Amino acid sequence: MKKVKYILSTLALFFVVLAGCKNDKNVFENPYSGAKESLGISISRDLVPDPKNGDAGTSVFVKVTGLVPYKLRLKFLFNGVEAKILSVTETGITAEVPENASSGVTSIVVDNQVIIGPEFIVNGLVNIDPTFLTKIGTNRHINQYYKLTNDRNILVGAFSDYDNKGLLSPLNRILKIDDNGGLDRTFRPGRAANGELSSFVELGSRYIVAGGFSGYGIQGNISNITALVNNGGVDSLQYDTYMKDSTGVIKYFPRFNGGTDGYIDRLYVLNNKLIATGNFRYYVKRIYDKPNYLNTKDSVILDSTEIRQIVRLAGDGALDKTYRFNASGVAFEGANGYIDSYMHTSGPLLGKLVIFGKFSRFDGQAAKNIIRLNADGTIDNTFDPGTGADNGISTLKYNPDTDQYLITGGFRAFNGHESPGIAMIKSDGGMVSTFTAKPLVGGYATFAKQLSSGLVVVSGNFRTYGGIFRSGFMILNATGELAAGYNNTGRFSGNLNDVIETQSADNKKALLLIGGFTKFDNTDINNIVRITIE
């Protein structure tokens, strides 16, 4: 009997313990077992520093215990930048915010062990603009911001949502906003493009959009470029001779009849004509008013002409063979690799087109990743970059105030001069000797643009610049040094596609940043943000 009671008691205890284990959700194996022994330093990331923000030179106290035994061999850092330590006590550490510090976490380093502390905000000239209405951004990247009249602007890209306003009715790749980011619902493109939009221009009373898409709204028969009326719908035309469907209903097709067999990256307007660039091989058009060889009325003849990477079109989409074709009607060769472009649409260089990317020949001539064309499409021999870039060029921007180009890429030299992925060159192709980029560690610069003030905005996936911690975003002065007061911002994640000089709603100098990014200054924001710079 006693034996039975003992067994029952043991089983009862087992189930009690088992039930307790199921209810206790916080019981886990120690994930740090076997790691280095604790230094005995205790710091809380939830206790803000005193003060929690300040300028360079500010004395900051962080509450931490256990530091005294290590006071002669520890380091204190503000977002990766080492600070001058003023005092170490039993209750904490006091350090001075260094000149090149930026917003982010503080940390203590002892014998190569890092203890993460609370976040400190460094005051400076660059701040997220609270007057900009967009707080969430888009769900995918933005390729272009185009300024219209009457305080209205067009955004194009790969997105289908903007500030959670496209959840019920998607905002597919094109939308209109006011100068402060408010969505303009009078612009009604419907389902819009079925693929990414890269570029937008105005031509007369119409809008022209380009990218990588085959349909827009209910319209098909599009080859990466089409014309829109001002409410966002496709500019259509009826063809009733052959193109009736099986019920006899007249069919409508895009009035703009032309395109390419591949993605169009850039679109420009010059002398009432369009120039499109990309990595396509053929110009294509459709024959709507003649039957195809099967004589089926719901099918369209597709005609093509070989023309690589650069094409000029009339306003109705017709191919202009007076541009980059020889006297025999054969198109020029173009580049033997990937290209991108920048066109001068005003000023003394009007009509000249800079071609850059990763190629070694252009139109049968040696060219190291950059070349410039005249307005007639021929090579501009007044632009001489020498040996050019020793690797690909990813971005190029022009500053009309300084008459200089700024390029970024995977290169390490330009025309024989050391240049770690960022270079400033004159409009004749020579390097600007007064600008010297410093070494980047952890990645590359993927974008750079010089502002009218001479300041240079740079983004990428780098961690340090000239040995100073910069998390993917920085502002340089005209010589390539980090601009004093402009590098207080914290982590940036992603890439910029453009920086537009503008102003805030309270008339401060500001920059609108667009691209494919998810964080700016340690703040979650997607692909669009406005920052003040004063």
Side-chain angles (χ1 to χ4, degrees), residues 25-38:
K25 297 182 181 180
N26 295 316
V27 175
F28 299 106
E29 183 180 351
N30 180 8
Y32 302 107
S33 59
K36 290 183 179 180
E37 290 186 9
S38 171

Side-chain angles (χ1 to χ4, degrees), residues 221-337:
N221 295 288
I222 293 173
S223 296
N224 306 306
I225 182 172
T226 197
L228 309 178
V229 293
N230 59 17
N231 70 352
V234 174
D235 184 11
S236 301
L237 180 69
Q238 73 176 44
Y239 289 85
D240 58 4
T241 305
Y242 292 98
M243 298 311 300
K244 291 182 179 180
D245 65 14
S246 58
T247 63
V249 175
I250 294 174
K251 300 187 76 173
Y252 291 81
F253 295 92
R255 188 186 300 272
F256 187 93
N257 185 10
T260 62
D261 69 324
Y263 191 97
I264 295 173
D265 292 294
R266 311 287 176 190
L267 197 58
Y268 310 100
V269 173
L270 187 68
N271 298 326
N272 293 317
K273 290 189 176 182
L274 296 161
I275 293 179
T277 68
N279 290 282
F280 48 82
R281 186 172 179 180
Y282 290 95
Y283 164 82
V284 296
K285 67 172 294 184
R286 290 167 171 78
I287 310 299
Y288 294 124
D289 57 355
K290 294 180 181 179
N292 63 23
Y293 71 99
L294 294 175
N295 198 31
T296 56
K297 296 180 178 181
D298 59 351
S299 185
V300 177
I301 299 172
L302 190 66
D303 190 24
S304 66
T305 303
E306 186 169 12
I307 173 68
R308 298 182 69 244
Q309 301 168 323
I310 308 165
V311 64
R312 187 162 72 184
L313 308 175
D316 61 358
L319 177 63
D320 181 358
K321 283 197 171 184
T322 66
Y323 183 78
R324 294 194 53 75
F325 281 85
N326 65 22
S328 301
V330 178
F332 294 175
E333 293 179 32
N336 65 345

Side-chain angles (χ1 to χ4, degrees), residues 145-155 175-187 202 207:
Y145 169 95
Y146 186 96
K147 188 159 187 61
L148 299 168
T149 57
N150 301 322
D151 301 326
R152 291 296 183 269
N153 315 280
I154 294 291
L155 297 180
L175 54 85
K176 184 184 288 189
I177 61 173
D178 62 33
D179 282 351
N180 288 314
L183 182 64
D184 185 344
R185 290 286 191 181
T186 65
F187 186 71
E202 292 178 275
Y207 301 151

Side-chain angles (χ1 to χ4, degrees), residues 470-521:
R470 295 304 307 144
S471 182
F473 179 87
M474 59 186 175
I475 297 181
L476 311 178
N477 60 28
T479 66
E481 300 284 342
L482 288 168
Y486 288 92
N487 286 283
N488 56 297
T489 57
R491 183 183 172 194
F492 173 84
S493 298
N495 297 289
L496 293 181
N497 285 332
D498 205 0
V499 172
I500 299 95
E501 296 188 63
T502 182
Q503 63 181 24
S504 64
D506 51 359
N507 298 318
K508 292 180 180 178
K509 290 180 181 179
L511 303 175
L512 183 67
L513 313 182
I514 64 165
F517 54 90
T518 57
K519 191 178 291 289
F520 181 85
D521 195 14

Side-chain angles (χ1 to χ4, degrees), residues 95-408:
E96 184 178 292
V97 180
E99 188 65 34
N100 290 308
S102 55
S103 298
V105 296
T106 57
S107 58
I108 298 168
V109 180
V110 179
D111 298 336
N112 296 320
Q113 292 197 53
V114 180
I115 301 97
I116 302 299
E119 185 173 294
F120 181 82
I121 299 171
V122 177
N123 296 334
L125 297 171
V126 180
N127 295 283
I128 293 176
D129 178 11
T131 71
F132 192 60
L133 299 177
T134 306
K135 304 302 180 186
I136 300 171
T138 59
N139 60 337
R140 291 189 65 193
H141 58 269
I142 299 170
N143 289 321
Q144 185 189 5
Y145 169 95
Y146 186 96
K147 188 159 187 61
L148 299 168
T149 57
N150 301 322
D151 301 326
R152 291 296 183 269
N153 315 280
I154 294 291
L155 297 180
V156 296
F159 52 82
S160 60
D161 189 22
Y162 177 81
D163 246 25
N164 288 342
K165 293 179 172 62
L167 298 178
L168 297 178
S169 179
L171 302 165
N172 286 332
R173 291 114 192 169
I174 184 169
L175 54 85
K176 184 184 288 189
I177 61 173
D178 62 33
D179 282 351
N180 288 314
L183 182 64
D184 185 344
R185 290 286 191 181
T186 65
F187 186 71
R188 298 179 177 275
R191 287 182 291 178
N194 64 358
E196 182 174 338
L197 295 179
S198 63
S199 198
F200 175 101
V201 294
E202 292 178 275
L203 183 61
S205 61
R206 297 181 303 164
Y207 301 151
I208 310 294
V209 291
F213 61 106
S214 60
Y216 190 103
I218 62 172
Q219 285 286 4
N221 295 288
I222 293 173
S223 296
N224 306 306
I225 182 172
T226 197
L228 309 178
V229 293
N230 59 17
N231 70 352
V234 174
D235 184 11
S236 301
L237 180 69
Q238 73 176 44
Y239 289 85
D240 58 4
T241 305
Y242 292 98
M243 298 311 300
K244 291 182 179 180
D245 65 14
S246 58
T247 63
V249 175
I250 294 174
K251 300 187 76 173
Y252 291 81
F253 295 92
R255 188 186 300 272
F256 187 93
N257 185 10
T260 62
D261 69 324
Y263 191 97
I264 295 173
D265 292 294
R266 311 287 176 190
L267 197 58
Y268 310 100
V269 173
L270 187 68
N271 298 326
N272 293 317
K273 290 189 176 182
L274 296 161
I275 293 179
T277 68
N279 290 282
F280 48 82
R281 186 172 179 180
Y282 290 95
Y283 164 82
V284 296
K285 67 172 294 184
R286 290 167 171 78
I287 310 299
Y288 294 124
D289 57 355
K290 294 180 181 179
N292 63 23
Y293 71 99
L294 294 175
N295 198 31
T296 56
K297 296 180 178 181
D298 59 351
S299 185
V300 177
I301 299 172
L302 190 66
D303 190 24
S304 66
T305 303
E306 186 169 12
I307 173 68
R308 298 182 69 244
Q309 301 168 323
I310 308 165
V311 64
R312 187 162 72 184
L313 308 175
D316 61 358
L319 177 63
D320 181 358
K321 283 197 171 184
T322 66
Y323 183 78
R324 294 194 53 75
F325 281 85
N326 65 22
S328 301
V330 178
F332 294 175
E333 293 179 32
N336 65 345
Y338 171 85
I339 72 150
D340 201 344
S341 68
Y342 174 88
M343 173 167 273
H344 292 271
T345 55
S346 62
L349 298 175
L350 176 67
K352 297 203 174 191
L353 183 68
V354 184
I355 303 298
F356 60 94
K358 191 170 178 57
F359 52 88
S360 60
R361 297 187 68 79
F362 190 92
D363 286 354
Q365 176 175 313
K368 287 301 292 289
N369 304 311
I370 186 169
I371 201 164
R372 193 168 70 193
L373 307 182
N374 293 308
D376 64 0
T378 59
I379 292 175
D380 177 10
N381 291 315
T382 68
F383 180 79
D384 183 11
T387 57
D390 66 350
N391 206 336
I393 299 172
S394 56
T395 66
L396 179 146
K397 295 292 182 181
Y398 175 73
N399 184 334
D401 298 298
T402 61
D403 192 29
Q404 295 169 347
Y405 301 109
L406 193 60
I407 60 174
T408 66

